[in-house]
Amino acid sequence: MKIRYESKTVEKQCTSVKAANKLFGGQKQLTVSLMARMESLKAATNLKDIVLMPAFHLHALKGNFSGLFAIDVKSRKDKWRIILRPLDQEENEFIPCNIDEIAAYVTIIKIEKVSAHYE
């Protein structure tokens, strides 16, 4: 899949070990897990590949985050998640964004941020 980023800061956090370590306060296991998740996202053919991986726990967000999805950085027990937006071939967001209908067609995502849940 092609990956776009909301900002240069988010891109650095997702691609630089040093920036990820800083984000996670030196928790190396989280950094390793984030780098592995990013490699898996890049290697996926489409978003359905990610949906089918239970360890990622792809789930829709609600409220102000409608249209966005999250995957766990490490596990369900950890508070960190990668927030992403599926994009169409013209790099526009899907409206409506029903993941069950679009997952097989999504080959571009935008990482909005990596954040601690409820921050």
Side-chain angles (χ1 to χ4, degrees), residues 22-112:
K22 183 177 180 183
L23 172 68
F24 297 130
Q27 296 180 50
K28 292 193 187 309
Q29 287 184 335
L30 286 171
T31 299
V32 169
S33 189
L34 175 62
M35 296 299 139
R37 292 287 198 244
M38 294 308 299
E39 287 303 315
S40 294
L41 288 170
K42 289 178 202 170
T45 303
N46 55 46
L47 195 56
K48 188 167 186 162
D49 292 347
I50 302 304
V51 170
L52 296 175
M53 298 179 83
F56 281 57
H57 190 252
L58 180 82
H59 57 284
L61 302 178
K62 298 176 184 172
N64 293 340
F65 297 102
S66 182
L68 297 174
F69 296 83
I71 61 174
D72 297 328
V73 168
K74 187 176 173 196
S75 71
R76 292 295 307 140
K77 294 178 183 177
D78 195 76
K79 67 180 181 176
W80 290 93
R81 63 189 184 171
I82 301 167
I83 299 175
L84 59 91
R85 179 184 308 276
L87 300 175
D88 65 18
Q89 294 303 314
E90 287 79 41
E91 298 193 16
N92 297 312
E93 61 185 89
F94 284 90
I95 300 174
C97 191
N98 184 341
I99 201 68
D100 294 331
E101 294 174 6
I102 65 171
Y105 305 104
V106 175
T107 59
I108 307 169
I109 60 170
K110 180 163 82 173
I111 306 295
E112 298 283 332

